[in-house]
Amino acid sequence: MNARTPEKKSYFLNMGPSHPAMHGVIRLLVELDGERVVGAEAEIGYLHRAFEKQAEDDSWNNVIPFTDRLNYVSPLINNVGYCLAVEKLCGIEVPERCKYLRVLASEISRVTDHLTCVGASAMELGAFTVFLYLMQAREVLYFLVDRLTGARVTTSYARIGGVKSDLPAGFEDALREAIAKVRRSIREADLLLTKNRIFMDRVRGTGVLPKETALAYGITGPMLRASGVPYDVRRALPYLVYDRLDFEVPVGSTGDNYDRYLVRLAETEQSLRIIEQCLERMPAGPVGVHEGQLLEAGLMADLGKRGKTGHIWKARADGDPVLEGTGSAVKEGISAARPEAVLPAKEEAYGSIEGLMRHFEVVMWGRGIVPPPGEAYFPVEGGNGELGFHAVSDGGDKPWRVRVRPPCFFNMAGLHTMLAGGMVADVIATFGSLNMIAGELDR
């Protein structure tokens, strides 16, 4: 009698780089034994964005728009992080009101980031209604981001030495209304999802990330906190005015997909609390001190070009939503008093050749700010964890090196440990809980 040894085979499945459940251009090579995942390998780098190399070829100020593209869901945090690193290098201190504006903008971005992650993950598991609720909430905030920065996604709001603009007229009331709408949408999503049996079966006990593994891979942000480690840069290394604000750091216990969902939902509420505190505590800026004549921006620019600057010197620029809150009446509150590093008010740039030349001096190649030789690292709490910028200056007009610590990079490094041993259907739930952003990953 010949005893036959059962033959065991595994096979490989490609997911991505073009796949409905892959966020961006990522390829997962999954080894399967039946429907069970034996091993997985993530391949990144199909985007070819090359932010770090590009930063070496442009002036310090002109790098800011590239930071938008690192994480298009929370670009305001990226802007703030880069500017803080350069300001640390230059020894620039921004005004108090500007610090609150940066925190407020960053927390709006964090909410949009978490809403996108939870909504998209729910949709990939079949909960399309939840996706619609949360995208509706995100849209309300995007509308306000557009009013504040002039763009929904490519914000470039933070500037070296300040921010682009103060809050536009009526912004505070609109933001309070938006917060109420966001809370309603989150409550609706919570009712539909948190105790939903189908959803819980898909996410509880799947994609488990023990805290020891998370720490070993350098994972931070909601993923680490869901594993039970209360590390948050805003608390561990406070910056701007976070040490004066009251908020909690939600943590999970098991580190599975369900905990990551709950932590992000709880963090959204904490961010809304921070925004409300910023609105209450933000010191009054110099708004209204220098009222001046209100001139349509195009007219002001034409008068300036013709040299008729005498009667428009004290006027304010108006007529373009992008210019709201950018005039000299608010400048003291939103920018440092460092003319060699900070862009002038719009009426100066439009109304006088000196102002226009100063504007160009800050942004032109071969000009701009020149930090002293040295290096500085500044971490902030990004949507996905510790987002750090390491800026190195050789005393020139452009960065010698800008290195980013992208939280997604470390989160993806630990993905294979979360997938191994699970089912192929769990890949979607686990990968969605990472909130992978390809722009951050690309080396």
Side-chain angles (χ1 to χ4, degrees):
M1 181 177 172
N2 294 326
R4 286 190 175 183
T5 304
E7 188 177 6
K8 189 175 181 181
K9 288 183 179 179
S10 63
Y11 61 97
F12 290 90
L13 176 68
N14 269 306
M15 299 182 74
S18 178
H19 186 281
M22 291 293 107
H23 302 192
V25 282
I26 292 296
R27 175 182 179 234
L28 281 182
L29 184 60
V30 186
E31 183 181 0
L32 299 174
D33 177 11
E35 292 195 25
R36 188 163 296 281
V37 177
V38 177
E41 184 178 340
E43 289 191 10
I44 63 172
Y46 287 92
L47 197 59
H48 305 302
R49 180 156 289 167
F51 160 76
E52 293 174 348
K53 203 64 188 170
Q54 183 67 42
E56 297 170 14
D57 200 35
D58 227 319
S59 64
W60 291 90
N61 262 299
N62 294 2
V63 172
I64 296 172
F66 301 137
T67 64
D68 293 333
R69 279 75 173 171
L70 288 176
N71 184 342
Y72 55 89
V73 195
S74 48
L76 291 158
I77 305 177
N78 305 345
N79 301 159
V80 170
Y82 171 75
C83 289
L84 285 170
V86 179
E87 286 162 9
K88 184 178 179 182
L89 195 58
C90 299
I92 295 176
E93 180 74 15
V94 299
E96 194 72 359
R97 184 175 176 83
C98 175
K99 293 178 182 176
Y100 276 95
L101 287 170
R102 285 181 171 184
V103 169
L104 183 142
S106 296
E107 294 308 315
I108 291 176
S109 235
R110 191 180 320 282
V111 175
T112 59
D113 196 302
H114 284 3
L115 291 176
T116 305
C117 174
V118 174
S121 301
M123 178 186 66
E124 288 159 3
L125 297 180
F128 192 66
T129 305
V130 172
F131 172 76
L132 293 177
Y133 279 136
L134 298 185
M135 291 307 101
Q136 188 180 39
R138 191 185 74 166
E139 186 63 22
V140 170
L141 294 176
Y142 268 5
F143 177 75
L144 291 175
V145 170
D146 193 7
R147 283 192 62 192
L148 181 64
T149 70
R152 289 161 58 90
V153 178
T154 51
T155 53
S156 298
Y157 179 61
R159 302 286 169 82
I160 295 171
V163 291
K164 169 188 165 285
S165 59
D166 206 329
L167 301 181
F171 186 88
E172 185 174 332
D173 291 338
L175 182 53
R176 290 188 189 280
E177 288 177 19
I179 289 173
K181 289 179 182 175
V182 171
R183 282 196 169 118
R184 276 201 299 274
S185 295
I186 291 175
R187 191 161 53 247
E188 287 163 342
D190 180 41
L191 288 172
L192 281 171
L193 214 55
T194 302
K195 294 183 179 177
N196 183 303
R197 178 61 187 271
I198 299 172
F199 178 71
M200 292 174 73
D201 284 348
R202 296 292 304 274
V203 294
R204 288 186 78 175
T206 60
V208 176
L209 179 70
K211 65 179 176 183
E212 294 79 10
T213 307
L215 291 169
Y217 278 95
I219 293 170
T220 55
M223 288 188 63
L224 178 65
R225 292 190 283 273
S227 297
V229 181
Y231 176 74
D232 187 313
V233 180
R234 296 171 296 177
R235 280 279 185 247
L237 304 165
Y239 55 97
L240 297 173
V241 295
Y242 278 111
D243 56 342
R244 306 176 211 167
L245 302 173
D246 179 28
F247 66 97
E248 297 168 9
V249 179
V251 293
S253 55
T254 60
D256 59 8
N257 290 324
Y258 191 56
D259 269 358
R260 289 191 278 278
Y261 158 77
L262 292 176
V263 164
R264 281 202 173 86
L265 221 54
E267 287 188 3
T268 302
E269 172 56 28
Q270 296 306 315
S271 290
L272 295 178
R273 283 181 62 197
I274 292 174
I275 293 170
E276 289 174 330
Q277 291 174 62
C278 286
L279 291 176
E280 291 165 6
R281 302 180 188 183
M282 191 182 302
V287 180
V289 175
H290 308 290
E291 285 297 336
Q293 185 185 1
L294 198 62
L295 281 180
E296 194 273 325
L299 174 62
M300 176 180 279
D302 289 342
L303 291 171
K305 288 174 188 171
R306 292 201 292 272
K308 297 180 178 179
T309 58
H311 66 288
I312 63 171
W313 182 253
K314 293 183 179 178
R316 290 183 294 135
D318 184 48
D320 183 344
V322 176
L323 298 179
E324 277 192 281
T326 61
S328 59
V330 300
K331 200 68 179 172
E332 290 175 24
I334 65 170
S335 295
R338 292 281 295 271
E340 81 282 6
V342 176
L343 289 166
K346 282 299 176 188
E347 50 264 53
E348 288 181 45
Y350 284 178
S352 70
I353 187 64
E354 293 82 4
L356 187 63
M357 289 169 63
R358 190 179 139 206
H359 182 101
F360 284 145
E361 287 280 349
V362 175
V363 297
M364 280 176 68
W365 287 343
R367 307 279 181 167
I369 65 170
V370 181
E375 55 189 297
Y377 175 75
F378 205 105
V380 296
E381 183 64 33
N384 286 319
E386 181 176 329
L387 170 69
F389 288 89
H390 183 199
V392 184
S393 167
D394 61 356
D397 62 305
K398 60 182 69 171
W400 185 82
R401 183 86 168 104
V402 175
R403 172 78 173 92
V404 187
R405 186 207 185 275
C408 273
F409 187 75
F410 297 86
N411 295 351
M412 282 295 288
L415 176 62
H416 66 285
T417 67
M418 300 157 65
L419 296 179
M423 307 300 287
V424 67
D426 300 335
V427 173
I428 304 303
T430 303
F431 184 67
S433 75
L434 259 68
N435 195 29
M436 192 285 302
I437 305 291
E440 278 190 0
L441 278 176
D442 204 48
R443 297 291 86 202

